[in-house]
Structures are given as structure tokens and as C-alpha cells.
Amino acid sequence: MRLGHLQPLYDRPGPWASVYFDTSHPDESAAEEQERAAREASRRLERQGADQATCRAVYDRLTALPPGTGSAGAGPAGWAVFATAGEVVVETPLLTPPPLGEAPCWSGLPHVGPLLELTGEDPSCLVPYIARTGADVELHDGRGGDRVGSVQGRQWPVHRTASADWSERHFQLKTENTWEQNAALIAEELRVCQEETEAELLVLAGDPRERRAVHDHLPKALRSAAVETSHGGRA
């Protein structure tokens, strides 16, 4: 799967509007139906907190798609549109229509997961399940998932306390150092696993702080292929 065109999604801070738009049912009223669906998508984003400029940019782009592009041999069955700060940044044609339950989404990160299925490609994906003390790494592809790596970092200290005592502050500093060291070990294991498996995508699973620490320690080339998910963890 070619992921280079998605890089702009990770060069900007967001938040992002992600819309999967169906164009697979052309008929005489296609333009009217398309405008109605675009208006509803914009309203859903607004209800989730999206700014008006971004909602308008999404609406304008969706209504500008040629009606009836989903007809046989005439083009994509749908589009994935990603926008932020009043601008559509990435739009991707879909080979299959998005499912009816795939609602427009306003979130801190772009919602790219459905692209893996809807673009008709079957990429391999590394998924590390990250905790403060280590990670288990699986490789997922069309045949399922297999464990391909594991990291067991330092086990102590990994929990901070709420005390303001000097000795406790010193302990907290040691805890921070443990987290960072373990994150660096996990990032190095992911580099090795990616080189061995040639996985095209990296999905970091686990708690937000641990995911972000590992992400920051990844080599630049691997960081560009990495996304984070709030679903799943080592436990």
C-alpha cells in the first residue's frame, strides 16, 4: 500500500475531519442526493465541534465530486476526504463503497483505519501493544496476525507518587527515566521488526503517554508510517 500521499495528515496538528463518502448509486437525482449527503456530513461534523470553515470546506469538496462517479467503469465508488483548519488536505478514491455506519468523524487524529479495506489493498501492519514495562509486537496481514517480537524493559520504578517531598520528587524523576528508557527499547525493537517484515504500516496501541513516548523515539522514516490508536493494550 502506498502511504506517501497520507503524510500531510501527520504533518499538521489537527484536529481532523474525516469523511467517507459514497458515490456508488448514480441516478437522475444524483446531484440532489449528493448535495443532501454533503450537507448532512457537514452538520454531523459541526455537532462534534468542528469549526465552520472546515465544515464548509468539506461540504464544498463533497458537492464538487462529479455525480455518478460510482457507475460501472466510470470511476471510484466513493471518496475519503480529510480536512483541517478550513482546508481539504487529502482526498483518496475508494474502490468499494464505505459502509453505511461509517459516520463523519471530528477527532485529534485523522480516521484512516477504513482506508486499508476500502482502497482494495491488503497491506501488512505492525501492531505493538505498549505498556510502561515493555511491549508485544504482532504482524497483521490478509492471513491474520502473528507475534513477531517482544520487549521486556525495566520493571522498577514505573509508578509516580503524589508527594511533594524531595525524596519523592527524586523517585519520580527516576520513574520518568525508566519510562523513557523503555520507550527507546520498544522503538528499537519496532525498527528491527519493520526491517525484517517490511511492514508498510505501524499502529501503536496502548495508553496515550506510552504511545507518544515510543512514537517520539522512532526513526524518522518509520515515524512517518506510524499512527496511534486508543484501542487495545498489552493487557
Side-chain angles (χ1 to χ4, degrees):
M1 183 180 186
R2 303 294 182 182
L3 298 174
H5 72 291
L6 299 181
Q7 183 59 41
L9 301 182
Y10 302 99
D11 289 339
R12 302 195 186 192
W16 287 91
S18 306
V19 180
Y20 291 85
F21 197 70
D22 189 346
T23 58
S24 64
H25 304 290
D27 55 31
E28 292 81 359
S29 61
E32 180 180 343
E33 174 62 22
Q34 184 166 318
E35 192 280 332
R36 186 204 63 77
R39 187 169 65 252
E40 177 61 20
S42 178
R43 287 175 176 172
R44 288 195 176 196
L45 292 170
E46 186 176 9
R47 287 197 293 267
Q48 294 175 53
D51 59 277
Q52 290 187 358
T54 300
C55 292
R56 185 68 195 187
V58 169
Y59 172 84
D60 289 345
R61 185 65 197 108
L62 296 181
T63 54
L65 293 172
T69 55
S71 58
W79 291 82
V81 174
F82 303 94
T84 187
E87 178 187 1
V88 172
V89 179
V90 171
E91 55 186 63
T92 299
L94 307 176
L95 295 182
T96 58
L100 292 177
E102 196 62 59
C105 175
W106 177 251
S107 55
L109 292 172
H111 182 44
V112 299
L115 280 178
L116 304 183
E117 178 180 354
L118 298 175
T119 53
E121 300 184 57
D122 189 22
S124 56
C125 175
L126 277 180
V127 183
Y129 298 94
I130 301 167
R132 294 179 182 179
T133 57
D136 298 318
V137 186
E138 294 181 355
L139 178 69
H140 291 261
D141 55 24
R143 296 164 296 184
D146 295 297
R147 186 165 170 174
V148 294
S150 182
V151 178
Q152 196 67 22
R154 291 179 57 187
Q155 305 298 298
W156 185 91
V158 294
H159 298 290
R160 293 187 294 188
T161 69
S163 173
D165 180 78
W166 179 88
S167 62
E168 292 299 331
R169 292 199 303 271
H170 180 68
F171 178 83
Q172 290 176 18
L173 180 61
K174 293 177 66 177
T175 299
E176 294 282 352
N177 289 339
T178 299
W179 288 357
E180 290 301 316
Q181 291 172 14
N182 288 349
L185 289 174
I186 295 169
E188 173 60 19
E189 175 70 5
L190 294 176
R191 182 193 66 78
V192 172
C193 288
Q194 194 280 328
E195 288 183 354
E196 292 178 347
T197 64
E198 297 183 344
E200 298 165 283
L201 185 65
L202 173 63
V203 177
L204 306 176
D207 290 335
R209 190 200 182 284
E210 285 74 29
R211 296 196 315 259
R212 178 50 46 180
V214 171
H215 184 277
D216 291 345
H217 281 283
L218 290 171
K220 184 176 180 179
L222 186 54
R223 198 181 308 147
S224 66
V227 296
E228 298 182 41
T229 177
S230 59
H231 303 288
R234 199 180 191 193

